[in-house]
Amino acid sequence: MTSTPTRAVQRPPSAAQRPAPFLRGTPVRRAVAALSFRNIGAVYVWLVIVVIFSVWAPDTFPTAITVKQVLNGNAVAGLVALSVVPPLAARVFDLSVAYTMSLTSVLTARFLVSAGLGPGVAVALAMTAALLVGVVNGIVVVVLRVDSFIATLATGALIQSLITMVTDDSSITGVQLLAKPFASIAQLDAGGITLPVLYLLLAALTIWFLLEHTATGRRLYATGFNADAARLQGVRTDRLRFLTLVASALLSGFAGVVFASSVGSGSPTAGTPYLLSAYAAAFVGATQLRAGRFNAWGTVLAVLLLGTGITGLGLATSAQWATSLFTGSVLIVALVLTGGRLTLPAVLRRRRGSHSRVGSEAASEDDALTTIDKETAK
């Protein structure tokens, strides 16, 4: 008597396991993922901040003037924040950006006022100084193998001593800084939106294209993720790290020139208030759009979020210490979110070990964890 082979009974997926009809289409799934809190949570937080301050200061905050104030007032901060994105993508810290910004600010003013040079020559010489700062940072960090955090902090201290020697801790002012064409660098506007906003958009577009659509950008991310593995694959990690430090110095130096043009003076402490906000924006940006990766548009979004909060606090006539409290709190929350996202698969694996499942449910969980691991490793 011959036995008939039996087949495993395949149960149809339950209603909870079946994808919803509106999620079956790839464009719809992409749209839902793009609008998820995990992807653009800062946008929803930004909207909450807008609502809070609109209720708190209804006469001054929800106006077109406030929108222009947020954009114009945070363009320089955005340039400084973007200057740290390429080094951070390669896992390099550049803490000298604030001092480089102050240096180009006072040098431009000094060349215009004291030396009597033209605006073009003054800006070119100031940017040359920023380039030298980037080269020095690259030599110390890449060639001499000094930790970037300590090296750029030390470089910043040297720059500050040079600024003090040149300015005696006094701002440089003069009519040359208020006259065209130098004043037009930052004060020329169209419809109330000044040129620095355009500079910010161009810088973000350039960095976005470099990181997301070029081989150099992929190598930068590979260097930041695992420098040793990238080096074994033929990536010139040292050269990339060197170039990111040079680019960071140039962009922060340009921010100093724009700052001098906008305020009409060269301040020896121009960049100091921007250091914390720059790194806060960069780390908040790393939780947006490209989770776990430092990116340009996420940084711009974070700058506007921080700028909206700070502007709202100013219009609500809150205490002076509230601005620093707000910026520091946002940075801590961003670091927690970034760290939590990167360790999420490990947490899920521990839960899986303590609460094991059988059958198809366990297999589905394994597949989900594998997918999360792959997405995190990208």
Side-chain angles (χ1 to χ4, degrees):
M1 189 173 177
T2 328
S3 61
T4 306
T6 59
R7 295 182 179 178
V9 179
Q10 296 182 352
R11 292 178 296 178
S14 62
Q17 293 174 332
R18 286 194 300 267
F22 64 89
L23 290 179
R24 288 175 183 171
T26 301
V28 176
R29 280 205 306 268
R30 289 179 178 175
V32 171
L35 297 175
S36 66
F37 186 86
R38 177 177 180 178
N39 192 50
I40 55 170
V43 173
Y44 301 117
V45 175
W46 189 11
L47 294 176
V48 171
I49 291 174
V50 170
V51 172
I52 290 174
F53 284 113
S54 296
V55 175
W56 192 355
D59 297 330
T60 55
F61 185 80
T63 63
I65 297 176
T66 302
V67 174
K68 295 175 183 178
Q69 182 179 350
V70 170
L71 292 175
N72 297 332
N74 292 279
V76 173
L79 289 174
V80 181
L82 287 175
S83 71
V84 304
V85 170
L88 286 175
R91 196 173 290 184
V92 177
F93 282 89
D94 186 0
L95 299 183
S96 67
V97 290
Y99 305 98
T100 305
M101 176 181 170
S102 300
L103 178 65
T104 55
S105 172
V106 299
L107 286 181
T108 304
R110 187 173 181 84
F111 290 144
L112 282 171
V113 176
S114 301
L117 300 177
V121 178
V123 171
L125 290 176
M127 292 302 296
T128 301
L131 176 63
L132 290 176
V133 171
V135 171
V136 170
N137 282 337
I139 292 174
V140 175
V141 173
V142 178
V143 179
L144 300 181
R145 302 293 179 183
V146 180
D147 181 78
S148 62
F149 194 94
I150 302 299
T152 56
L153 189 61
T155 304
L158 294 175
I159 295 171
Q160 189 61 50
S161 65
L162 176 62
I163 293 172
T164 303
M165 182 178 65
V166 171
T167 64
D168 198 22
D169 279 338
S170 300
S171 297
I172 301 175
T173 59
V175 293
Q176 296 88 340
L177 297 170
L178 302 175
K180 296 180 179 180
F182 181 73
S184 300
I185 294 177
Q187 298 181 22
L188 191 65
D189 70 281
I193 305 299
T194 56
L195 274 180
V197 178
L198 177 61
Y199 304 150
L200 175 63
L201 293 177
L202 290 177
L205 183 64
T206 302
I207 294 175
W208 165 78
F209 183 81
L210 173 69
L211 293 179
E212 303 294 340
H213 296 280
T214 65
T216 301
R218 291 190 290 271
R219 290 165 185 156
L220 273 176
Y221 280 133
T223 301
F225 181 73
N226 192 327
D228 293 332
R231 193 180 299 112
L232 291 175
Q233 293 296 323
V235 177
R236 297 181 179 178
T237 56
D238 287 344
R239 185 176 69 174
L240 288 176
R241 295 168 69 210
F242 191 101
L243 291 176
T244 59
L245 289 169
V246 172
S248 175
L250 287 174
L251 188 52
S252 59
F254 178 69
V257 174
V258 174
F259 179 85
S261 175
S262 63
V263 301
S265 67
S267 173
T269 58
T272 305
Y274 292 99
L275 183 60
L276 177 60
S277 61
Y279 275 92
F283 276 95
V284 172
T287 67
Q288 303 299 305
L289 304 178
R290 299 283 290 169
R293 295 186 181 185
F294 296 98
N295 63 89
W297 295 119
T299 302
V300 172
L301 175 62
V303 167
L304 295 177
L305 185 153
L306 291 170
T308 302
I310 293 172
T311 302
L313 288 172
L315 294 176
T317 64
S318 58
Q320 294 182 353
W321 48 261
T323 298
S324 299
L325 177 64
F326 177 79
T327 304
S329 300
V330 170
L331 178 57
I332 291 174
V333 171
L335 291 173
V336 171
L337 289 176
T338 305
R341 177 171 295 161
L342 294 177
T343 58
L344 180 61
V347 173
L348 292 179
R349 281 194 294 270
R350 287 196 296 269
R351 289 182 180 179
R352 182 187 60 177
S354 58
H355 303 286
S356 58
R357 297 177 182 178
V358 293
S360 60
E361 293 183 357
S364 300
E365 185 178 14
D366 289 339
D367 293 340
L369 290 169
T370 303
T371 302
I372 295 175
D373 287 339
K374 290 179 179 179
E375 291 294 328
T376 305
K378 287 182 180 179

